[in-house]
């Protein structure tokens, strides 16, 4: 097999798109074995485990991605999603806030942070996060409506 980690990373993405998660995991694992500093490899391993509904394993890989690349907004966001699945809401909050430090325009992180803050019974902070999302989101209007309904509940 090639010793270029990028080849394995690409191969893993091809396997992932072909719905072959076991082969994708092997390829991503080989990529980070060859280059432990390859944040994309760790991030992709985390994504695979989120899809497999293994949030604890996913969180481990997202933390490794963040060890390598602390400002990787997607890894912060996905780590937050894993923590929500685990019921670790304070950790999820910190992860979503990390995504926003890395990328203040990460609108889905504002929405996810609002959801977590609502669950943590922090209505003022949740309202602020939801409002930022509502004001700037130009995507699927169902998400905007969901955020508006959340604000109305608070």
């Amino acid at each position: 097999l090639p010793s270029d980690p990028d080849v394995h990373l690409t191969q893993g993405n091809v396997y992932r798109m072909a719905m072959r998660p076991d082969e994708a995991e092997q390829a991503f694992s080989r990529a980070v074995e060859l280059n432990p500093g390859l944040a994309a490899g760790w991030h992709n391993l985390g994504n695979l485990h989120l899809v497999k509904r293994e949030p604890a394993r996913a969180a481990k890989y997202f933390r490794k991605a963040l060890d390598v690349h602390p400002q990787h907004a997607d890894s912060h966001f996905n780590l937050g999603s894993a923590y929500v699945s685990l019921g670790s809401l304070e950790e999820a909050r910190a992860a979503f806030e990390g995504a926003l430090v890395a990328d203040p325009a990460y609108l889905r992180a504002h929405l996810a942070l609002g959801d977590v803050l609502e669950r943590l019974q922090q209505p003022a902070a949740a309202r602020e996060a939801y409002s930022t999302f509502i004001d700037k989101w130009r995507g699927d209007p169902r998400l905007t409506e969901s955020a508006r309904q959340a604000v109305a509940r608070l």
Side-chain angles (χ1 to χ4, degrees), residues 1-133:
L1 287 174
S3 60
D4 183 348
D6 290 331
V7 170
H8 294 281
L9 187 64
T10 300
Q11 184 183 41
N13 283 319
V14 169
Y15 284 135
R16 181 185 50 78
M17 289 186 294
M19 308 293 277
R20 295 170 59 184
D22 293 336
E23 291 95 334
E25 183 172 3
Q26 289 175 353
F28 293 141
S29 294
R30 180 69 177 139
V32 296
E33 178 185 315
L34 292 168
N35 179 2
L38 188 62
W42 296 115
H43 180 81
N44 288 341
L45 283 165
N47 284 340
L48 282 174
H49 289 284
L50 269 184
V51 169
K52 292 166 92 174
R53 291 186 164 86
E54 297 173 347
R57 286 189 73 190
K60 177 181 94 169
Y61 290 123
F62 292 130
R63 285 191 300 270
K64 286 187 179 217
L66 290 166
D67 286 344
V68 173
H69 185 4
Q71 293 302 307
H72 193 256
D74 287 337
S75 290
H76 281 286
F77 181 85
N78 291 356
L79 178 59
S81 298
Y83 282 139
V84 167
S85 294
L86 293 166
S88 301
L89 298 182
E90 286 295 343
E91 290 85 351
R93 174 188 182 164
F96 292 135
E97 288 172 343
L100 291 169
V101 167
D103 180 2
Y106 200 146
L107 294 180
R108 286 184 182 262
H110 285 283
L111 180 62
L113 179 60
D115 291 341
V116 166
L117 291 167
E118 183 179 1
R119 290 176 64 187
L120 288 170
Q121 299 180 354
Q122 297 179 19
R127 190 175 297 111
E128 182 180 338
Y130 285 135
S131 294
T132 299
F133 177 82

Side-chain angles (χ1 to χ4, degrees), residues 138-153:
R138 301 294 174 259
D140 185 342
R142 293 173 294 186
L143 291 177
T144 306
E145 184 55 31
S146 174
R148 283 192 179 111
Q149 289 173 2
V151 168
R153 283 192 305 268

